[in-house]
Amino acid sequence: ASEKPSLRFADEVSLHTIVGETVESLKSALSEKGIAVENNIAADLPPLHVDKTKFARLFELLLRDEMLRDLSNLGAMLFWVH
């Protein structure tokens, strides 16, 4: 019988930080589209246990997907965690 793969991740990351770093890396592309991004995710949330590289890439891809849409009439993106 095979063992189940471990789903424990060694990286401990802040969602606020990942969002901030991703937005910063895409700042010029967002600006070109006239989109302002506000990171309202609380900095004091418990850390996430993820594969940091893959999680950051996933968030970047999600944000880039949104940038492909015509959001110029929206003017801003807000990130909240409830």
Side-chain angles (χ1 to χ4, degrees):
S2 63
E3 293 183 30
K4 289 184 180 180
S6 173
L7 295 179
R8 293 187 178 261
F9 298 101
D11 299 328
E12 200 172 271
V13 301
S14 159
L15 182 58
H16 177 85
T17 300
I18 292 290
V19 169
E21 289 172 354
T22 304
V23 168
E24 187 63 32
S25 73
L26 297 173
K27 197 173 199 172
S28 62
L30 290 164
S31 181
E32 287 175 13
K33 292 210 171 246
I35 301 169
V37 179
E38 188 175 328
N39 182 357
N40 290 321
I41 297 173
D44 61 350
L45 288 174
L48 300 173
H49 296 272
V50 297
D51 178 315
K52 182 179 180 179
T53 303
K54 289 180 181 177
F55 187 76
R57 179 71 174 143
L58 172 66
F59 190 76
E60 177 189 348
L61 290 172
L62 289 171
L63 191 52
R64 284 186 183 276
D65 184 58
E66 289 303 312
M67 287 171 46
L68 293 175
R69 301 171 194 241
D70 182 13
L71 299 176
S72 56
N73 61 338
L74 182 64
M77 285 181 177
L78 302 175
F79 294 98
W80 295 88
V81 173
H82 297 275

